[in-house]
Amino acid sequence: MGRGDVAPSVQALRLTSCYQIVIEGIVSDLTDGSAEVWSNRFEQGLNPVIERFNASIGFDIALLQEDLDGSIAHARMLGNCGVISAEEMTQIERGLETIRAEAASGAFQPDIADEDIHFAVERRLIALLGPVGKKLHTGRSRNDQVGTDLRLWLRRRIDELDQQLLQFQQALLGKAESHRQTLIPGYTHLQRAQPLCLAHHLLAYVEMLQRDRDRLVDVRGRVNISPLGAAALAGTSVPIDRKQTASTLDFQAVYANSLDAVSDRDFAVEFTAAAALVMAHLSRLAEEVIFWASEEFAFVRLTDRCATGSSLMPQKKNPDVPELVRGKCGRVFGHLQGLLTMIKGLPLAYNKDFQEDKEALFDVVRTTCDCVEAMTILIEEGLEFCPKRLSSAVESDFSNATDVADYLVAKGVPFREAYQLVGSVVKHCLEQGILLRDLSPQQWQAFHPAIEQDLLKALEPQQVVAARISEGGTGFVRVEEQLIQWRSQLG
Ligand code: ARG
């Protein structure tokens, strides 16, 4: 780019990924459309502060690819319907592809004067093609255009997020497969409850993530409906074919009502709600990893790949990754609230308030994807379970107390009676500072004559876990079934 092409006083915005933008100090004047945007009704330009306040190009440049895709579909349809000539249709499509190439090379750098990505593209097209470029916007408004772009963008991001969630499930499954026989204390109220097979614990997250993925499929269905051709709010008198643009863009249907088409942002709320649950699930695991890694638990060791040190205390190893994941939930939950508040009370149809949907949605996608990716790496290479520490943990508590009750139940003692009895056994042991396994056969007999020698075997943690073979339970045979089922489902 030569020096003559730049206007150093204006800040340009550069897209560095599908949702990240950096501000640079220079801008090209490629779009060169000194505010020929509005109709001749306008005599004065915008106050510069208001121009900046109004502009969305700083973030909606992320929609560039989708804006080009949508415009190409629209131009083809206009050509096929005879609204523009075949020659014009080809010229417009080539012009739009030129803009795509310019964006790839970094030459397309719209600025604040372009207001938003839709104007930026249109103005560049007009600069490239002249009068033919002015035909693109026939039978369409920015209102249906922006809705189309955002849906196309979100549809792609949903597919990417789904892939990342799949990889996360695979990472958890891999860990679970290598811990088929490892035990871990199970908790309720964060109090030791009953020992578990570690694979069973990890598979619980695989289940949650599957629900997250199912929810995304469901949301995707409602994202995948075309508003294009609803025009500003009322449809158009131009003989367009909405089904044609919808099918070119792979939408499964078109909105039946033009007002609803341009003013529906339910899909943004729904997606954010689905992402909020993903984040909630990640943060539950994050919280567990944080306390597992503490010296008090020491169930896992953080590897150097995913842990950080302290600037002051040389002995420290900090679980920054799960802490950040836990902390980032606030953003996504906040955006859900923000989006709901944004649409609440809006009269039909389009209102500029909708411009606020983008930064929220972009941040939701970036935050959620980043967190899923980071947690996947954490599981794959960031932590190692400490089997010795885990087995000594499950051996030194009363988490086998229920099994004494179950033993008595098998001998015909009613459960509530057995439950009360084991309560007094535990009380006795606590007073003596001993565990259940430390009681002699005579002591057991004194508590209940039905108790025989074989109880001791039933109280061993491996046996306690192995015995829980009800459907969905932590018994090794049940967990094995689950591991096989997930492996065949996830590949
Ligand atoms: N930048 C706008 C948005 O994000 C595009 C639509 C503008 N339409 C309008 N009538 N002002 O929603």
Side-chain angles (χ1 to χ4, degrees):
M1 184 191 303
R3 267 198 77 68
D5 295 334
V6 299
S9 60
V10 191
Q11 288 191 322
L13 305 136
R14 185 163 63 84
L15 184 66
T16 57
S17 78
C18 57
Y19 38 62
Q20 268 175 320
I21 289 132
V22 294
I23 298 190
E24 295 185 329
I26 53 160
V27 66
S28 80
D29 58 356
L30 264 184
T31 48
D32 190 31
S34 39
E36 210 191 65
V37 169
W38 306 123
S39 73
N40 293 336
R41 162 185 180 162
F42 284 79
E43 287 172 3
Q44 284 190 311
L46 272 177
N47 175 309
V49 174
I50 299 303
E51 182 178 48
R52 197 164 273 277
F53 182 68
N54 192 46
S56 54
I57 187 69
F59 46 87
D60 67 17
I61 194 167
L63 301 176
L64 173 67
Q65 298 302 329
E66 289 74 20
D67 197 72
L68 294 170
D69 295 343
S71 288
I72 288 169
H74 182 68
R76 281 191 200 158
M77 180 277 294
L78 291 177
N80 294 339
C81 293
V83 178
I84 59 174
S85 70
E87 166 63 14
E88 288 166 337
M89 175 181 90
T90 311
Q91 270 183 274
I92 289 174
E93 183 164 348
R94 286 207 187 119
L96 291 166
E97 289 299 354
T98 303
I99 297 171
R100 209 192 294 275
E102 287 175 348
S105 74
F108 178 67
Q109 291 191 346
D111 66 49
I112 292 294
D114 288 310
E115 186 180 329
D116 63 21
I117 188 60
H118 324 294
F119 275 147
V121 168
E122 190 181 348
R123 288 165 67 180
R124 179 62 190 144
L125 190 73
I126 294 167
L128 281 169
L129 303 184
V132 174
K134 296 185 176 176
K135 294 198 171 186
L136 171 64
H137 212 53
T138 313
R140 158 182 105 162
S141 148
R142 276 188 305 158
N143 298 350
D144 55 338
Q145 189 180 359
V146 68
T148 305
D149 293 2
L150 197 56
R151 284 170 179 80
L152 290 175
W153 183 90
L154 186 57
R155 196 177 68 186
R156 286 186 175 147
R157 303 293 89 81
I158 287 176
D159 294 345
E160 288 164 7
L161 178 57
D162 182 64
Q163 274 307 303
Q164 287 184 322
L165 287 168
L166 168 64
Q167 283 170 21
F168 187 29
Q169 284 181 305
Q170 287 167 334
L172 286 162
L173 178 60
K175 252 311 181 234
E177 285 169 338
S178 57
H179 287 287
R180 297 176 140 90
Q181 295 294 319
T182 310
L183 304 187
I184 186 169
Y187 298 82
T188 62
H189 314 272
L190 202 53
Q191 304 286 322
R192 291 276 179 95
Q194 291 169 347
L196 300 169
C197 166
L198 176 53
H200 191 58
H201 192 114
L202 295 171
L203 286 181
Y205 285 100
V206 177
E207 297 278 348
M208 289 180 223
L209 294 166
Q210 189 59 43
R211 284 199 295 279
D212 291 331
R213 293 181 61 201
D214 292 347
R215 245 185 301 278
L216 286 176
V217 170
D218 193 45
V219 172
R220 192 187 192 281
R222 279 181 294 277
V223 171
N224 204 19
I225 298 174
S226 175
L228 195 56
L233 77 166
T236 174
S237 56
V238 178
I240 59 166
D241 180 349
R242 292 188 58 204
K243 290 199 173 65
Q244 200 181 118
T245 45
S247 106
T248 309
L249 295 169
D250 262 337
F251 282 116
Q252 91 194 0
V254 298
Y255 274 86
N257 181 302
S258 62
L259 291 169
D260 185 40
V262 290
S263 63
D264 173 23
R265 293 294 183 276
D266 295 358
F267 67 95
V269 174
E270 274 193 73
F271 170 77
T272 304
L277 274 168
V278 172
M279 291 299 296
H281 294 155
L282 296 189
S283 82
R284 296 184 73 171
L285 179 57
E287 173 70 8
E288 295 204 299
V289 171
I290 292 164
F291 64 66
W292 285 344
S294 73
E295 220 163 304
E296 284 69 17
F297 279 82
F299 290 174
V300 298
R301 201 181 67 76
L302 297 173
T303 70
D304 295 354
R305 299 277 286 167
C306 290
T308 56
S310 154
S311 61
L312 178 76
M313 298 166 281
Q315 84 285 8
K316 293 284 300 285
K317 208 169 197 190
N318 296 330
D320 288 24
V321 172
E323 286 176 315
L324 275 172
V325 168
R326 193 177 57 179
K328 282 176 190 287
C329 283
R331 288 175 181 239
V332 177
F333 298 177
H335 287 312
L336 178 58
Q337 183 67 41
L339 285 167
L340 280 168
T341 310
M342 186 268 287
I343 61 170
K344 171 200 162 293
L346 283 185
L348 292 177
Y350 179 87
N351 300 271
K352 190 76 171 206
D353 311 45
F354 285 141
Q355 185 161 289
E356 288 293 305
D357 59 8
K358 282 160 219 67
E359 284 169 293
L361 212 48
F362 295 168
D363 192 50
V364 168
V365 168
R366 178 181 48 211
T367 304
T368 310
C369 289
D370 284 357
C371 289
V372 174
E373 202 176 17
M375 286 298 280
T376 306
I377 294 170
L378 182 71
I379 294 298
E380 279 170 348
E381 54 180 281
L383 56 84
E384 282 161 9
F385 282 95
C386 310
K388 273 206 190 114
R389 171 76 196 142
L390 286 165
S391 58
S392 75
V394 293
E395 273 158 21
S396 52
D397 59 20
F398 288 93
S399 59
N400 49 4
T402 318
D403 298 82
V404 183
D406 290 349
Y407 176 91
L408 287 168
V409 167
K411 304 255 172 179
V413 181
F415 175 76
R416 200 43 78 196
E417 193 184 319
Y419 167 87
Q420 292 293 356
L421 181 109
V422 180
S424 32
V425 178
V426 169
K427 184 164 177 277
H428 171 81
C429 289
L430 285 171
E431 282 161 6
Q432 302 297 309
I434 57 172
L435 293 168
L436 293 176
R437 65 161 186 260
D438 301 323
L439 290 168
S440 69
Q442 293 73 17
Q443 285 172 303
W444 278 116
Q445 283 271 315
F447 277 113
H448 200 289
I451 298 178
E452 293 170 73
Q453 187 67 30
D454 59 346
L455 174 67
L456 283 182
K457 175 98 186 87
L459 294 188
E460 282 171 17
Q462 285 284 337
Q463 187 49 40
V464 167
V465 172
R468 294 202 155 63
I469 51 168
S470 58
E471 192 173 346
T474 195
F476 300 112
V477 289
R478 286 302 192 180
V479 174
E480 196 56 41
E481 284 168 12
Q482 294 292 306
L483 288 170
I484 290 166
Q485 183 267 314
W486 278 117
R487 185 46 75 192
S488 78
Q489 187 171 330
L490 303 178

Short mmCIF file of all heavy atoms in Angstrom, two decimals, residues 56 60 116 118 142-143 146 350 352 355 358, ligand 1:
data_model
loop_
_atom_site.label_atom_id
_atom_site.label_comp_id
_atom_site.label_asym_id
_atom_site.label_seq_id
_atom_site.Cartn_x
_atom_site.Cartn_y
_atom_site.Cartn_z
N SER A 56 -20.83 0.44 13.65
CA SER A 56 -20.61 -0.91 14.17
C SER A 56 -19.47 -1.61 13.43
O SER A 56 -19.16 -2.77 13.73
CB SER A 56 -21.90 -1.74 14.06
OG SER A 56 -22.40 -1.72 12.75
N ASP A 60 -18.53 -5.41 13.55
CA ASP A 60 -19.27 -6.27 12.61
C ASP A 60 -18.45 -6.59 11.36
O ASP A 60 -18.90 -7.34 10.49
CB ASP A 60 -20.68 -5.75 12.29
CG ASP A 60 -20.72 -4.45 11.52
OD1 ASP A 60 -19.70 -4.06 10.92
OD2 ASP A 60 -21.80 -3.82 11.51
N ASP A 116 -20.92 0.46 8.82
CA ASP A 116 -20.97 -0.96 9.16
C ASP A 116 -20.49 -1.80 7.97
O ASP A 116 -20.21 -1.28 6.90
CB ASP A 116 -22.37 -1.39 9.66
CG ASP A 116 -23.47 -1.24 8.61
OD1 ASP A 116 -23.15 -1.19 7.40
OD2 ASP A 116 -24.64 -1.18 9.01
N HIS A 118 -21.99 -3.80 6.06
CA HIS A 118 -22.88 -3.86 4.90
C HIS A 118 -22.62 -2.68 3.97
O HIS A 118 -22.52 -2.83 2.75
CB HIS A 118 -24.34 -3.91 5.35
CG HIS A 118 -24.53 -4.69 6.60
ND1 HIS A 118 -24.30 -6.04 6.64
CD2 HIS A 118 -24.87 -4.32 7.87
CE1 HIS A 118 -24.50 -6.47 7.89
NE2 HIS A 118 -24.84 -5.45 8.65
N ARG A 142 -30.79 -3.34 4.89
CA ARG A 142 -29.77 -3.82 5.83
C ARG A 142 -30.41 -4.62 6.96
O ARG A 142 -29.75 -5.38 7.63
CB ARG A 142 -28.99 -2.64 6.41
CG ARG A 142 -27.85 -2.18 5.52
CD ARG A 142 -27.01 -1.15 6.24
NE ARG A 142 -27.81 -0.04 6.70
CZ ARG A 142 -27.47 0.80 7.69
NH1 ARG A 142 -26.34 0.63 8.33
NH2 ARG A 142 -28.26 1.79 8.03
N ASN A 143 -31.71 -4.41 7.16
CA ASN A 143 -32.36 -5.10 8.27
C ASN A 143 -32.44 -6.61 8.04
O ASN A 143 -32.13 -7.40 8.94
CB ASN A 143 -33.76 -4.54 8.50
CG ASN A 143 -33.72 -3.07 8.88
OD1 ASN A 143 -32.64 -2.54 9.15
ND2 ASN A 143 -34.86 -2.41 8.89
N VAL A 146 -28.54 -7.87 7.76
CA VAL A 146 -27.76 -8.11 8.99
C VAL A 146 -28.25 -9.37 9.69
O VAL A 146 -27.44 -10.16 10.22
CB VAL A 146 -27.78 -6.88 9.94
CG1 VAL A 146 -29.15 -6.62 10.54
CG2 VAL A 146 -26.76 -7.04 11.06
N TYR A 350 -37.51 -3.65 13.14
CA TYR A 350 -36.10 -3.42 13.46
C TYR A 350 -35.92 -2.18 14.32
O TYR A 350 -36.58 -1.16 14.12
CB TYR A 350 -35.27 -3.25 12.17
CG TYR A 350 -33.80 -2.98 12.47
CD1 TYR A 350 -32.91 -4.03 12.66
CD2 TYR A 350 -33.32 -1.68 12.61
CE1 TYR A 350 -31.58 -3.81 12.99
CE2 TYR A 350 -31.99 -1.44 12.93
CZ TYR A 350 -31.13 -2.51 13.12
OH TYR A 350 -29.82 -2.28 13.45
N LYS A 352 -32.50 -0.01 16.30
CA LYS A 352 -31.03 0.01 16.32
C LYS A 352 -30.47 -0.71 17.54
O LYS A 352 -29.30 -1.14 17.55
CB LYS A 352 -30.54 1.46 16.29
CG LYS A 352 -29.04 1.61 16.06
CD LYS A 352 -28.64 1.37 14.62
CE LYS A 352 -27.18 1.77 14.42
NZ LYS A 352 -26.90 2.14 13.03
N GLN A 355 -28.24 -3.70 17.14
CA GLN A 355 -26.81 -3.65 16.85
C GLN A 355 -26.00 -4.15 18.05
O GLN A 355 -24.87 -4.60 17.89
CB GLN A 355 -26.42 -2.21 16.49
CG GLN A 355 -24.98 -2.06 16.05
CD GLN A 355 -24.76 -0.78 15.29
OE1 GLN A 355 -25.22 -0.64 14.15
NE2 GLN A 355 -24.08 0.18 15.88
N LYS A 358 -24.34 -8.01 18.52
CA LYS A 358 -23.12 -8.60 17.94
C LYS A 358 -21.97 -8.74 18.92
O LYS A 358 -21.39 -9.82 19.07
CB LYS A 358 -22.69 -7.79 16.72
CG LYS A 358 -23.54 -8.12 15.54
CD LYS A 358 -23.52 -7.08 14.48
CE LYS A 358 -24.88 -6.92 13.90
NZ LYS A 358 -25.89 -6.36 14.82
N1 ARG B 1 -25.32 -2.17 11.80
C1 ARG B 1 -26.71 -2.48 11.89
C2 ARG B 1 -26.90 -3.60 12.92
O1 ARG B 1 -25.95 -4.06 13.43
C3 ARG B 1 -27.19 -2.90 10.56
C4 ARG B 1 -28.64 -2.68 10.32
C5 ARG B 1 -28.96 -1.28 10.25
N2 ARG B 1 -30.25 -1.03 9.82
C6 ARG B 1 -30.81 0.16 10.02
N3 ARG B 1 -31.98 0.33 9.58
N4 ARG B 1 -30.19 1.11 10.63
O2 ARG B 1 -27.98 -4.00 13.26
#
